[in-house]
Amino acid sequence: EGLSAALLIDSPGLTDAASFDVLVESAAQADMVLWVSSAARAAREIDRRALTAIRDHFAAEPNRRRPPMLLVLTHIDALRPFNEWEPPYDLTVASSTKSQSILGAMEAGASELGFALSETLPVRVDVALAPYNVDALWAKIIELVPEAQRARLLRTLSDMTNASSWSTVWSQAANAGRVIKSTFLSRSTSP
């Protein structure tokens, strides 16, 4: 409530580096990136390489601001102990085995994928049971809206600058054409 509408784009899962260019271009046009990864999956090399490609793209463009990025870890219910699911879990104390597993998955995912722990949120979003920690995800997204708006502003200013550069080029070309035309006509009419 009170926020502008959002367009969510769900990219297909990564299978190889061939899809990185499209992914980087999509991130370059985004206001915020939510990187969703399974907490129960240890193989994250393709994710790490894709995120590195996105970060490298923005590092190479000093006039652009990288959109804020969050790591969203799903399938936290599939962590050890497998048959325990009694939320809420206090991850600041991590007193239960499940909360220790969730915190461990957050630390591992954040470390492997280059996120701060504060940029990493565990969620459960399946429809079989009530979603877990989605309210914390929304709160974090709302917290990052000002940063996302700054990234959008710099992106649109850059786009406008590029567009105005083209209009300047076309204007200069038209003026050059007029000069050439007047020079040509003045020489052809001279005795």
Side-chain angles (χ1 to χ4, degrees):
E1 191 63 41
L3 297 173
S4 56
L7 173 63
L8 297 176
I9 299 170
D10 183 14
S11 66
L14 296 171
T15 54
D16 59 24
S19 58
F20 286 3
D21 290 340
V22 173
L23 184 66
V24 168
E25 184 56 35
S26 294
Q29 297 303 314
D31 297 338
M32 186 181 299
V33 174
L34 303 179
W35 196 268
V36 179
S37 181
S38 172
R41 192 186 82 212
R44 293 193 177 104
E45 178 60 23
I46 190 105
D47 293 75
R48 188 192 60 72
R49 290 177 35 218
L51 285 162
T52 298
I54 292 170
R55 291 178 179 121
D56 288 349
H57 170 80
F58 284 100
E61 301 223 7
N63 295 336
R64 290 284 309 274
R65 179 185 207 98
R66 182 175 58 99
M69 298 171 66
L70 292 174
L71 174 59
V72 181
L73 289 177
T74 61
H75 299 91
I76 59 171
D77 55 305
L79 298 172
R80 293 182 187 272
F82 302 119
N83 56 357
E84 178 191 326
W85 184 249
E86 297 174 18
Y89 292 102
D90 183 359
L91 301 178
T92 58
V93 178
S95 57
S96 73
T97 306
K98 188 66 145 193
S99 61
Q100 290 170 5
S101 291
I102 294 170
L103 185 58
M106 289 173 61
E107 290 169 344
S111 174
E112 292 168 14
L113 300 178
F115 287 89
L117 195 56
S118 63
E119 300 169 327
T120 306
L121 291 153
V123 298
R124 181 176 183 175
V125 292
D126 62 348
V127 292
L129 295 171
Y132 171 71
N133 218 27
V134 174
D135 54 342
L137 176 61
W138 277 115
K140 190 66 172 176
I141 289 170
I142 291 168
E143 176 187 322
L144 292 174
V145 164
E147 188 179 336
Q149 290 172 330
R150 284 190 292 277
R152 179 178 4 147
L153 178 62
L154 286 175
R155 182 183 72 246
T156 54
L157 284 174
S158 175
D159 292 347
M160 285 174 36
T161 301
N162 292 340
S164 69
S165 295
W166 277 108
S167 67
T168 303
V169 168
W170 285 112
S171 174
Q172 290 172 349
N175 288 336
R178 281 189 220 108
V179 170
I180 292 170
K181 178 182 171 186
S182 68
T183 304
F184 177 71
L185 288 177
S186 66
R187 286 188 182 171
S188 64
T189 57
S190 300

